[in-house]
Amino acid sequence: MEKVISGIRPTGNLHLGNYFGAVKSFVKMQDEYDCMFFIADWHSLTTHPTPEDIRRSVRTILSEYLACGIDPEKAPIYVQSDVKPVLELYLYLNMNAYLGELERVTSFKEKARTQPDNVNAGLLTYPTLMAADVLAHKADKVPVGKDQEQNMEMMRLFARRFNRIYKVEYFKEPESFHFNQKAVKVPGLNGSGKMGKSEGNAIYLCDDEATIKKKVMRAVTDAGPTMLNQEKPEVIQNLFSLMELVSTPDTYAYFDDQYNNMSIRYGDLKKQLAADINAFCAPIRERIQAYQKDEDYLNRVAKMGAERATAGAEKTLQEVRQIIGFGK
Ligand code: TRP
């Protein structure tokens, strides 16, 4: 079975956009591939989180991904910093990663621009750590968003370069698996394109019923259709797109007809949408809360993941040390 690995950057709670994008593909992939997922807490150090930030985000990610259906028996989920052999591979890869090429990476340039006071070496070598994450497990495929493509290209470059320098065919070049091309677009609630944390237009899986309702009722609309069967403007289409994801086809058709015959009342549409979003999120939310409280279980999941990941990575590192000339 092909191996799949992906890192999860700790960036706060999951929202519906994440759910219908990355998370749903992860849940599907765990049945089709030999999957592993990890929380990229080493990578997160580039922005200097507090110890409490780190502990909290590990708990949050574990409980939310488990609540969404990641099954740790099928797809181990581990914390990056629990798997030490990756760090050694990071060091080796860094010896053959050049300043010029690392400085040219767009996300590095972007960070150097937006956080000029914290252009640290970890930021510069972000692509080598990411390469080590994947190469240590000799993964075939890496599910990532389009924004990670340059890091993926660097990973393949480092793999090829290692093989060339040591005259071996050791690492294979991991393929990117872009889930956001196939994924449905989940719009935000303020009429502006995609749902996102930084856009401030997101509904989180952990939002309670009242919060969901408040967010949906505040969504931007227009003055209503002025012609029969007219095309929906973006703000209205967005509400319908959300409805398509969480409501029954009958409910969708009911409001679509009302729009087309111009009898629609957006207040009614929003109430229904809020109720359907809540019905969709409620079981996930309850599971998140249950996992959050069960620290023993979360620790067991992370420990089980770390053991499996460490065993695999250590085997790779033993071979890599031999190739480099270390060890007997
Ligand atoms: N860079 C990825 C992101 O920002 C997170 C990540 C770290 C990752 N290591 C990885 C993703 C290895 C895939 C494989 O989303």
Side-chain angles (χ1 to χ4, degrees):
M1 215 185 329
E2 278 190 309
K3 266 199 185 169
V4 165
I5 189 162
S6 196
I8 301 159
R9 205 169 3 127
T11 53
N13 297 97
L14 291 176
H15 53 66
L16 284 176
N18 302 131
Y19 180 85
F20 287 106
V23 185
K24 233 182 136 180
S25 346
F26 285 3
V27 172
K28 186 156 172 275
M29 288 180 104
Q30 68 182 349
D31 291 319
E32 297 163 1
Y33 299 94
D34 182 5
C35 284
M36 288 204 288
F37 302 111
F38 68 91
I39 300 168
D41 62 343
W42 274 330
H43 276 114
S44 79
L45 293 180
T46 55
T47 56
H48 301 169
T50 65
E52 187 38 43
D53 286 341
I54 295 186
R55 285 188 196 105
R56 186 167 11 89
S57 61
V58 167
R59 270 200 314 274
T60 303
I61 294 176
L62 278 177
S63 21
E64 295 196 342
Y65 278 76
L66 293 170
C68 289
I70 296 290
D71 174 350
E73 298 285 340
K74 286 188 209 158
I77 174 159
Y78 61 93
V79 182
Q80 184 185 34
S81 60
D82 284 341
V83 183
K84 312 298 182 200
V86 170
L87 214 44
E88 190 179 340
L89 185 57
Y90 170 56
L91 182 137
Y92 299 147
L93 294 177
N94 271 334
M95 299 301 168
N96 299 312
Y98 295 96
L99 181 61
E101 63 194 4
L102 293 170
E103 277 176 334
R104 278 194 299 277
V105 173
T106 316
S107 50
F108 174 74
K109 287 195 287 191
E110 178 69 15
K111 289 273 166 46
R113 201 174 53 77
T114 53
Q115 49 183 72
D117 298 336
N118 184 21
V119 189
N120 60 65
L123 214 48
L124 183 72
T125 58
Y126 190 109
T128 45
L129 181 54
M130 185 162 158
D133 287 329
V134 175
L135 297 178
H137 296 286
K138 307 214 195 100
D140 300 284
K141 286 194 164 62
V142 185
V144 281
K146 264 266 176 245
D147 63 324
Q148 296 297 309
E149 195 42 40
Q150 204 176 14
N151 286 334
M152 290 302 302
E153 274 161 24
M154 298 297 283
M155 186 184 296
R156 293 189 277 264
L157 174 69
F158 297 144
R160 280 198 301 276
R161 189 176 286 160
F162 181 94
N163 291 347
R164 185 171 45 74
I165 291 175
Y166 294 105
K167 300 187 179 56
V168 286
E169 277 303 315
Y170 187 69
F171 287 123
K172 54 186 153 196
E173 297 180 35
E175 260 174 66
S176 314
F177 183 98
H178 292 297
F179 46 74
N180 51 0
Q181 278 166 348
K182 291 178 210 120
V184 280
K185 179 185 151 204
V186 181
L189 284 173
N190 53 356
S192 77
K194 237 173 89 185
M195 185 175 287
K197 182 187 163 208
S198 44
E199 285 76 9
N201 59 8
I203 293 178
Y204 292 92
L205 298 178
C206 60
D207 279 346
D208 61 24
E209 184 167 10
T211 307
I212 293 173
K213 187 150 189 206
K214 202 165 74 197
K215 287 181 176 175
V216 174
M217 296 315 284
R218 270 207 312 249
V220 182
T221 51
D222 63 6
T226 52
M227 279 184 321
L228 290 173
N229 303 315
Q230 80 183 53
E231 200 186 318
K232 300 182 185 83
E234 193 181 358
V235 283
I236 304 304
Q237 182 53 51
N238 282 350
L239 295 175
F240 276 92
S241 300
L242 281 170
M243 194 164 240
E244 216 167 355
L245 293 170
V246 296
S247 305
T248 64
D250 284 353
T251 303
Y252 180 89
Y254 173 80
F255 285 100
D256 193 44
D257 285 345
Q258 287 207 326
Y259 186 85
N260 288 333
N261 67 29
M262 295 166 54
S263 66
I264 192 157
R265 294 197 343 218
Y266 291 140
D268 295 344
L269 169 94
K270 286 176 172 180
K271 264 188 217 139
Q272 181 72 46
L273 181 59
D276 291 347
I277 290 177
N278 184 57
F280 179 84
C281 292
I284 302 178
R285 180 170 69 224
E286 281 156 25
R287 289 197 293 270
I288 293 174
Q289 287 162 356
Y291 285 129
Q292 285 272 15
K293 280 193 223 120
D294 196 346
E295 208 148 326
D296 283 349
Y297 179 68
L298 296 184
N299 289 339
R300 272 207 306 283
V301 168
K303 183 155 179 275
M304 192 167 78
E307 282 166 3
R308 285 182 55 182
T310 303
E314 181 51 34
K315 182 169 172 291
T316 302
L317 263 292
Q318 278 170 12
E319 292 163 355
V320 167
R321 285 176 208 126
Q322 285 295 325
I323 292 172
I324 290 183
F326 291 153
K328 290 182 283 303

